[in-house]
Each structure stands twice: as C-alpha cells, then as structure tokens.
C-alpha cells in the first residue's frame, strides 16, 4: 500500500517535470529561435521606443486619432494586465443605457445628426477589453473628424483607412477589420 | 461567407479526426507507430523513474483506485503550489499566495478537466504556478479522460476478461504519443501567428497618446496548446481565447476550434477500430455531428438576429457585438461558443454572459446534456457510450428483448451504473443551482438582474458539474460560497461519472459474447444514430426544461418585447 502510494507520488513528480517544466521550456526555446518577435510581444517601435503591441488595442480619445472600441479592461479601459469583457447581459438596463450614452457621444464627436446609424463595434465593449481592431465602417465613420482635426483632406484620410483594411484571412476566415494602432501610426507618419 | 466558415470547419475536423483516430487505436492496442523509436525508450524511463508496475493489467476496481489516488494527489500538489507561489521561482510579478478557498477551487477545477477560473490569470498566478501546477493538470486530466474511455472500450471489446488495462500505461501513452507531440507542434504554430511564449516580466510602454500601458507576458502558447487539445479551457489570461495574445488571428481561431474537437471526434474512430467494427464508431460520430449542426444553427441564428432593442437605438450592422471581438465577428464567435460547450472545453472567444438569450441557452444545454456532442477528451465518448446503453435499453423495452450492445447483454448492473452516470451530474446541477438561488450567498454574486441572473447561476453549476469551465462570467464566483460549492460540484460531476463508467467497463469485460440473432438491433444503422441523438435530447430536455424556461427562454421573449431590467 505504502509502496503503491509512493509510486503514485513519484509518477506525479515525473509527469510534473515532463509536462510542467521541460515542455514549456522546450516550447519557449524553440519559439525564441524560430519566431523571436512573435514570442515576445509583437512590439511596435517608433524612434526606437516601444509604443505598444500590434495585437493589443490601446486607448485613443483625442479627435485627431481614430478611436477603438469601448473597453471593460480595468477602470479606465485597455488595461493589458486586466483583460475582461463587461459581461453585461442583453436585457440588462445598464447595457442599454451605456450603449445609448456611447451612441450620443459618437454622434456628437463626429457631427452626426441624432438617430444616425453607428456600427455596433464602436458602441459595444469587446470580449477581451483589448480588441485591437474596429470594423471598416467604424473607421470610415471617423474620417471627417480626424481629417478636420489634422487639417488633412478627407479623401487622403479615407484612402489611408482603405489601405489599412485587413481582409478576411485566406478570403474566408474572420471578418474584415482595421487595426487602430497601426492606422494611427500611419496617420502620424503622414502628418509629419 | 459565414456559412462557408462553418462548413469548412466541419470538413477539416472530419479530415483530421479519421487518421488521428486510426493512429490512437494503434497506440492503445500497443501496435507499432512512427514515433516509437523516440518514445519507447522515454516511456520505459518514466516507468523506471516512477517505479510503477506496468507488466500486469488491472481489474476495474484497481484501475479506478489508482486513477483516484493519482488524481487527488495531483489536486493536493496544485493546491500547495498556489499556496506557496510567493516563495517559488518564476514569479517576476511577485504574486503572493492564492487564498485557500480559491486555491481549493482552482485545484479541483484543473484536476477534473473543468478549468473553471474564479481568478484572472494575469493578476493572480505566477509563471511557475501556470506551468508546474496548471499546465501539468491540463495534461494529466486529459490523459485521465482518454484512459477511462480506452478502458471502457476494452471492456466492451473483450470477452470473459477480468482486466481492462493498466492505468499507468494508458496515462503515459496518452501523454507521450498523443498530447505532448500535438501540443508542441501546435504551440509553435500559435507562436508563429503572434501568441506569446516567454518568461519575461510585464513590459510598460508609452502609448501614442502619451498614456502608459503595461503588457502582460508569459509562457502562453505552451499552455494554450494543451488547453485546447485537452479540452481543458483554462485561459492564461482572464479573457481566455478572446485575448489577442491567446488568439490573435482568424487562423489561430480556426485552429483552436479544431484542436478542441479533433481528439474527441477521433476517439470515435479509435473506438470503432478497437471493437473491430469501424461502423460502430461512425454511427456514434454521426449522432454527434447531427446534434452539433442543430446547436450551431441555433446559436448562429440567434446571434445574427441580435438584440432588437439596440437596433431601435440606431446601432447598425450585427447588433450582438457586446463581448465579441471584431476579428471573429458573429460567425466565428458563434461557432466557437458551440464548439467549446459541445466539448467539455470551456475556452471562450466571446463572453457568453453577453450572448443573446437563445445563443446562451444552447451552450448551457450542451453542457447539461453531458457534453456528449463530441465532448471532452475521453469524457465525451464515455458519456456518449452511457447514452448508447440507454438507447439500446429503450429499444429493447420497445421490442421486448434483452438489450445487447456489441454482442454483450446489457443487464441490471450496467443499467444501474448508466443511470447513475446520467443522474449524478444532473442532480448536482439542479440542486446546486437551487441552493444558490435560494440563499443570499448565492444571489449576492449575480451581475445581471432579471431572468438572466438565474441563467448565470444555472450556467455556473452546469459548467462545474459538467467539467466545462466556461462561464456567464458576470457572476462573481470568487466568494467562499461559490469557490467551495462549485469545487465540490466539479469533483462530484467528474468522478460521479468516471466511477460508474469504469464499473460498466469491468462488468462488460467479464461477459460472454452472444451471437447476433434476427432480433438483434443494429447499432450501425441510421435508425440507431437518429435514436441515439433523440435519447440524448429527450433525457436532457426532460431534466432541464423547467429550469431553462425560467432563465434563457423567458429572457429571449422579454428581449423581443423590448424589456430590460
């Protein structure tokens, strides 16, 4: 009995070393060799300084930048150490009120009339709170505001959005989208 | 395009499952495989280091006892590592010990393949805990599930036998020949798409607008791979597979969904090979596929239809985007929600609490049905085989013959055990939810008022007892009440099925085969497939319809009427 229990404990130790130490360390080593950038944080640098990760959304509030989605990660949103959705259910009055409030804000910022349609992604919180993308419609809606704030012709900003649309992967998978950080970086580049 | 994505997924799943199923049959029959030259010596080394006896097979009681002791010892280890993580290595964020009730819940959760998470990974667990405690149980709980279904399959295939295999051998071979190589390859594919894999401290950057953002880091890909392949589902991060570092692109999303169901689907093929008639496996696979297509149709339809209240406010496009990511949209999110709850996985790429009521009902129902639509690694097929026994029993009653399956008579003992395996999780879900709904400790944790609040509680106990691990995550589950109640539900739901199943394996192994007669019901026919799917649905509906009617069903009607709470 004791001998069997001891063997069971030893099996657990062996398996812990194999699957809990050797396996993740081997995966880390191989990943660093073959895909060092991706295994890190897919960092985007500007002038040698990291400004964020290509995969992680960040907060944009000024009129001269394209805005991402509402975020429930951390109290101020886009906290990459506290990923989270709002978890509000479809019949929660808080959700309906929050969306109504955001609709008003988006319309006011972008000079749209009351009741004007707004794409859902721009007024709903994402699942992770770190969604890096918005839909092409949500980006186009912001073009006039951004162009005005930056004194750029609308056509030029619109063309930049079009250039930054990522299509469905292999033409089938996922949804067309625009990475907000990449778009804003290109916008800064253009404005220089 | 949405339709095409779903069809493409199912085609790829079946294409991958067939060869993998054949390969696993070779592994568990002890036949030669192409990995033998590398793995055979390693296998021998493991047995020598551990000092376990694999030269002798076990009867079902010995098999079950070994499994139980091994699993509970593993649970103790996970508990201790969490409590001691403050003084253990690989803790660059200096996380302190996990509180006792949460550590118990997490230990029960990962050992039972549930991976319910009452914590946020990036703000609670050190890298050492994630690797040496959680990743380990990702492997061991999945391997335990495979071992049980392989033992049951042997029990059905053998004639007049006393033993059903050797637990150590089944466990070790599942890990070495199946889970570990698949995980290593899959982890690297994930990294190539942007899933991170490092041991660095968190990195703070200055954002374009001059704010500061701290990026969480960690050995994510290695845990992600086994999280899905082992139908575990416990995310490295709080947002799970919605987090861009766990699931950065539509391609990783497709691969993650394939990883969830590929082993469960393949095991039906393995089953067919091991019982000597591939069509026995295919008939079960077909019933699973039928139920899956129904489920994904309802989830997708409901999510695409969305929330009419929001449309009247002026929201354009698909309205049900709360709790979803733009890169996945409605189709990939609906498919993922169906896949993860068909299996006992519980990874999520969208927040289930924010799904439309009917879109949330189906995941909940699939868990309540026992996760037999493909199901968890091992647990899906052994759960489905319990329903197979119920089906042949019901057919036997209808024609007035002793029911038989694979040439073996189904008698009182097997029926008792099969009934227990269905009733124990069901009773746990309903009694647990009832307790929570009737007490202050239970209702205080609800986030969403109205019928949705009941859905949150029902989902939590279904997810716990069903060892799924996904959540209507608005429910604040990190309270002593929920940590302990759900931890117990997970243990009861896991071993309340495994033990009856192993008992069936033992009693079936001992039986003589009877030659099929003219009255024998063909369990390879389309009729059988249809009846099996119907029995699963009817048993589930009879048990859970009243509870579901008070939660998601009434909420859907109220949503359509424009009501909010």
């Amino acid at each position: 009995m004791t001998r069997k229990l001891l063997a069971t404990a030893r099996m657990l130790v062996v398996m812990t070393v194999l699957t809990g130490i050797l396996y993740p360390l081997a995966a880390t080593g191989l990943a660093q060799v073959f895909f060092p950038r991706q295994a890190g944080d897919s960092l985007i640098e500007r002038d040698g300084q990291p400004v964020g990760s290509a995969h992680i959304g960040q907060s944009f509030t000024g009129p001269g930048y394209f805005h991402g989605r509402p975020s429930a990660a951390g109290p101020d949103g886009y906290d990459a150490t506290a990923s989270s959705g709002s978890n509000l259910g479809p019949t929660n009055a808080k959700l309906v009120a929050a969306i109504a409030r955001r609709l008003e804000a988006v319309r006011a910022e972008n000079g749209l009339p009351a009741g004007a349609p707004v794409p859902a992604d721009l007024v709903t919180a994402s699942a992770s709170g770190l969604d890096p993308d918005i839909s092409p419609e949500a980006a186009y809606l912001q073009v006039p505001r951004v162009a005005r704030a930056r004194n750029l012709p609308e056509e030029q900003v619109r063309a930049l959005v079009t250039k930054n649309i990522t299509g469905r992967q292999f033409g089938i998978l996922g949804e067309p989208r625009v990475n907000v950080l990449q778009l804003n970086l290109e916008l800064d580049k253009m404005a220089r | 395009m949405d339709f095409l994505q779903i069809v493409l997924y199912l085609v790829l799943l079946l294409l991958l499952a067939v060869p993998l199923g054949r390969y696993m049959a070779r592994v568990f029959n002890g036949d030669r495989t192409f990995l033998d030259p590398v793995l055979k010596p390693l296998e021998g080394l493991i047995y020598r280091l551990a000092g376990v006896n694999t030269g002798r097979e076990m009867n079902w009681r010995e098999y079950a006892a070994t499994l139980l002791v091994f699993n509970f010892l593993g649970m103790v280890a996970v508990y201790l590592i969490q409590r001691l993580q403050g003084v253990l290595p690989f803790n660059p964020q200096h996380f302190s010990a996990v509180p006792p009730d949460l550590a118990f819940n997490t230990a029960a959760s990962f050992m039972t393949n549930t991976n319910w998470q009452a914590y946020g990974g990036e703000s609670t667990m050190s890298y050492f805990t994630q690797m040496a405690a959680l990743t380990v149980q990702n492997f061991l709980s999945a391997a335990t599930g495979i071992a049980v279904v392989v033992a049951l399959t042997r029990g059905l295939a053998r004639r007049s036998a006393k033993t059903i295999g050797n637990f150590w051998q089944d466990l070790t071979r599942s890990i070495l020949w199946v889970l570990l190589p698949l995980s290593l390859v899959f982890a690297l594919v994930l990294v190539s798409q942007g899933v991170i894999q490092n041991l660095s401290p968190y990195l703070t950057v200055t954002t374009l607008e001059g704010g500061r953002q701290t990026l969480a880091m960690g050995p994510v890909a290695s845990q992600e791979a086994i999280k899905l392949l082992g139908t575990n589902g416990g995310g490295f991060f709080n947002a799970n597979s919605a987090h861009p570092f766990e699931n950065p692109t539509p391609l990783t999303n497709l691969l993650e969904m394939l990883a969830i169901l590929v082993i469960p689907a393949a095991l039906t093929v393995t089953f067919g090979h091991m019982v000597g008639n591939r069509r026995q496996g295919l008939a079960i696979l077909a019933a699973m596929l039928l139920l899956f297509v129904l489920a994904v149709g309802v989830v997708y339809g409901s999510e695409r239809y969305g929330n009419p209240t929001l449309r009247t406010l002026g929201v354009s496009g698909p309205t049900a985007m709360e709790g979803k990511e733009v890169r996945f949209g409605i189709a990939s999110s609906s498919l993922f929600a169906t896949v993860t709850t068909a299996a006992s996985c519980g990874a999520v790429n969208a927040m289930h609490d924010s799904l439309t009521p009917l879109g949330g009902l189906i995941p909940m129902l699939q868990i309540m049905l026992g996760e037999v639509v493909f199901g968890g690694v091992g647990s899906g097929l052994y759960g489905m085989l319990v329903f197979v026994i119920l089906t042949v029993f019901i057919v036997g009653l209808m024609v007035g013959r002793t029911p038989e399956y694979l040439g073996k008579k189904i008698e009182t003992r097997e029926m008792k055990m099969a009934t227990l395996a269905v009733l124990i999780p069901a009773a746990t879900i309903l009694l647990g939810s009832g307790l929570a709904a009737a007490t202050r400790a239970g209702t205080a944790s609800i986030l969403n008022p109205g019928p949705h609040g009941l859905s949150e509680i029902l989902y939590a106990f279904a997810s716990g007892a069903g060892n799924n691990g996904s959540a209507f995550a608005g429910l604040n589950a990190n309270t002593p009440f929920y940590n302990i109640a759900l931890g117990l539900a997970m243990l009861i739901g896991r071993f309340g099925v495994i033990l009856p199943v192993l008992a069936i394996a033992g009693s079936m192994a001992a039986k003589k085969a009877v030659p099929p007669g003219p009255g024998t019901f063909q369990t390879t026919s389309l009729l059988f497939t249809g009846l099996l799917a119907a029995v699963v649905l009817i048993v589930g509906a009879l048990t859970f319809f009243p509870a579901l009617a008070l939660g998601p069903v009434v909420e859907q009607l109220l949503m359509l009427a424009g009501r909010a709470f």
Side-chain angles (χ1 to χ4, degrees):
Chain A
M1 190 63 217
T2 340
R3 211 172 52 89
K4 275 192 182 164
L5 198 63
L6 196 68
T8 307
R10 280 164 63 181
M11 190 68 163
L12 185 63
V13 172
V14 172
M15 285 299 176
T16 300
V17 171
L18 179 67
T19 63
I21 310 281
L22 295 179
Y23 159 68
L25 292 186
T28 308
L30 290 170
Q32 300 291 347
V33 171
F34 291 111
F35 311 104
R37 192 180 107 82
Q38 292 95 322
D41 256 356
S42 294
L43 285 180
I44 298 180
E45 297 197 345
R46 186 165 67 175
D47 311 327
Q49 289 297 314
V51 293
S53 164
H55 296 300
I56 302 289
Q58 48 183 249
S59 178
F60 290 101
T61 52
Y65 279 120
F66 284 89
H67 298 176
R69 301 184 61 188
S71 161
D76 305 321
Y78 289 100
D79 179 346
T81 62
S83 61
S84 180
S86 73
N87 284 310
L88 295 175
T91 56
N92 193 327
K94 276 190 203 153
L95 175 70
V96 180
I99 289 176
R101 208 169 48 241
R102 292 175 192 143
L103 280 167
E104 289 313 309
V106 168
R107 286 172 187 143
E109 280 166 6
N110 294 284
L112 298 170
V118 175
D121 56 304
L122 218 45
V123 291
T124 51
S126 62
S128 63
L130 304 172
D131 196 338
D133 303 314
I134 53 175
S135 64
E137 297 76 27
Y140 285 129
L141 179 144
Q142 303 182 53
V143 165
R145 183 198 76 224
V146 173
R148 204 160 44 244
R150 296 206 171 224
N151 282 321
L152 286 167
E154 266 186 40
E155 276 322 298
Q156 202 181 339
V157 179
R158 195 178 308 275
L160 190 72
V161 170
T162 307
K163 200 186 107 197
N164 274 279
I165 293 176
T166 307
R168 293 170 191 269
Q169 214 164 357
F170 311 119
I172 298 178
L173 301 176
E175 302 287 333
R177 59 201 188 277
V178 179
N179 184 304
V180 181
L181 176 58
Q182 299 275 17
L183 176 63
N184 283 332
L185 274 167
E186 299 238 343
L187 194 62
D188 275 356
K189 226 184 276 172
M190 192 164 79
R192 278 190 186 184
Chain B
M1 203 57 83
D2 288 358
F3 183 66
L4 207 61
Q5 290 192 54
I6 296 171
V7 172
L8 176 73
Y9 171 75
L10 286 173
V11 170
L12 289 175
L13 177 67
L14 296 177
L15 285 179
L16 290 170
V18 172
L20 179 62
R22 247 184 252 147
Y23 166 78
M24 284 195 291
R26 297 188 68 82
V27 170
F28 294 107
N29 280 332
D31 299 337
R32 281 177 50 84
T33 68
F34 71 103
L35 289 174
D36 284 8
V38 188
L39 296 180
K40 276 277 179 196
L42 187 56
E43 185 191 14
L45 179 69
I46 289 174
Y47 298 150
R48 270 201 307 286
L49 284 176
V52 296
N53 180 359
T54 54
R56 196 177 57 78
E57 288 211 343
M58 303 171 176
N59 65 33
W60 84 266
R61 283 172 205 280
E62 209 182 333
Y63 199 98
T66 312
L67 179 152
L68 276 182
V69 173
F70 182 68
N71 274 269
F72 277 91
L73 217 57
M75 180 174 155
V76 171
V78 175
Y79 180 84
L80 290 178
I81 290 175
Q82 291 178 85
R83 299 288 294 140
L84 296 172
Q85 69 173 2
V87 295
L88 291 169
F90 295 119
N91 186 10
Q93 297 312 116
H94 307 290
F95 292 129
S96 55
V98 180
D101 59 318
L102 179 58
F104 161 75
N105 182 277
T106 307
S109 172
F110 278 72
M111 182 270 274
T112 56
N113 198 257
T114 310
N115 300 37
W116 171 269
Q117 294 171 295
Y119 60 89
E122 65 267 53
S123 55
T124 317
M125 301 294 178
S126 75
Y127 295 162
F128 186 81
T129 308
Q130 298 264 27
M131 296 192 307
L134 305 185
T135 303
V136 171
Q137 284 302 325
N138 273 307
F139 277 98
L140 297 182
S141 63
T144 298
I146 297 180
V148 172
V149 82
V150 168
L152 176 61
T153 306
R154 287 198 196 102
L156 292 168
R158 288 178 176 177
R159 315 265 180 260
S160 314
K162 289 199 172 62
T163 60
I164 55 171
N166 183 297
F167 175 70
W168 296 127
Q169 208 163 18
D170 291 340
L171 179 91
T172 308
R173 294 185 71 93
S174 308
I175 289 175
L176 288 186
W177 268 264
V178 184
L179 298 171
L180 207 49
L182 283 176
S183 296
L184 196 58
V185 172
F186 187 38
L188 290 176
V189 174
L190 289 175
V191 173
S192 76
Q193 286 284 306
V195 178
I196 60 176
Q197 177 71 28
N198 59 60
L199 295 168
S200 318
Y202 295 1
L203 178 76
T204 301
V205 299
T206 304
T207 65
L208 281 198
E209 283 199 337
R212 297 175 73 70
Q213 187 180 41
T214 300
L215 299 170
M217 298 269 198
V220 178
S222 56
Q223 190 171 333
E224 192 71 18
I226 186 61
K227 163 188 131 181
L228 301 158
L229 284 164
T231 60
N232 292 286
F236 195 94
F237 300 112
N238 187 45
N240 208 297
S241 280
H243 196 295
F245 280 157
E246 289 199 25
N247 194 0
T249 64
L251 176 63
T252 56
N253 192 61
L254 176 76
L255 295 174
E256 292 190 6
M257 292 190 294
L258 286 169
I260 294 173
L261 287 188
V262 71
I263 296 178
L267 279 169
T268 62
V269 177
T270 308
F271 174 78
H273 276 269
M274 287 181 75
V275 300
N277 183 351
R278 273 178 291 172
R279 290 175 55 198
Q280 298 288 356
L282 294 182
I284 294 174
L285 181 63
M288 292 173 166
L289 206 56
L290 176 65
L291 290 168
F292 183 85
V293 170
L294 289 176
V296 78
V298 176
V299 177
Y300 174 73
S302 183
E303 292 306 302
R304 177 55 69 187
Y305 182 77
N307 188 340
T309 312
L310 301 185
R311 197 164 298 118
T312 54
L313 292 176
V315 172
S316 67
T319 51
M321 283 302 288
E322 183 74 21
K324 291 192 182 67
E325 299 279 295
V326 166
R327 62 192 179 284
F328 306 138
I330 300 291
S332 296
S333 301
S334 304
L335 183 58
F336 200 111
T338 312
V339 166
T340 196
T341 52
S344 75
C345 184
V348 295
N349 81 346
M351 292 302 129
H352 287 193
D353 216 349
S354 300
L355 293 173
T356 57
L358 280 186
L361 179 146
I362 294 295
M364 206 181 321
L365 180 63
Q366 288 202 108
I367 299 171
M368 289 167 167
L369 295 178
E371 290 147 337
V372 292
V373 183
F374 300 104
V377 167
S379 60
L381 181 57
Y382 67 65
M384 194 56 144
L385 287 168
V386 167
F387 278 103
V388 167
I389 290 175
L390 285 183
T391 304
V392 295
F393 175 73
I394 291 168
V395 171
L397 284 183
M398 288 196 273
V399 299
R401 253 183 75 100
T402 309
E404 53 189 84
Y405 183 55
L406 303 176
K408 303 269 190 77
K409 285 202 163 65
I410 306 286
E411 292 166 301
T412 319
R413 182 176 165 80
E414 292 80 52
M415 279 318 297
K416 277 187 186 158
M417 290 300 150
T419 312
L420 279 178
V422 173
L423 285 185
I424 289 173
T428 309
I429 294 169
L430 291 176
L431 295 176
S433 305
L435 179 71
T439 55
R440 182 85 197 109
T443 53
S445 290
I446 290 174
L447 173 72
N448 289 292
H452 200 92
L454 178 65
S455 300
E456 286 184 347
I457 292 178
L458 265 179
Y459 199 104
F461 280 91
S463 180
N467 299 141
N468 185 276
S470 65
F472 273 18
L475 185 80
N476 173 19
N478 189 10
T479 65
F481 172 80
Y482 278 106
N483 276 333
I484 292 167
L486 291 172
L488 293 174
M490 294 171 207
L491 295 171
I492 298 169
R494 176 77 163 174
F495 298 103
V497 179
I498 283 184
L499 293 179
V501 162
L502 286 175
I504 293 173
S507 74
M508 292 299 276
K511 286 178 199 272
K512 290 196 204 58
V514 284
T520 302
F521 179 52
Q522 290 299 325
T523 51
T524 51
S525 60
L526 269 181
L527 177 65
F528 169 77
T529 294
L531 280 172
L532 177 59
V535 166
V536 170
L537 276 180
I538 291 167
V539 169
L542 286 176
T543 316
F544 294 107
F545 183 75
L548 291 172
L550 294 173
V553 174
V554 74
E555 191 193 4
Q556 179 80 22
L557 296 173
L558 290 167
M559 182 186 81
L560 295 180
R563 284 281 301 276
F565 296 88

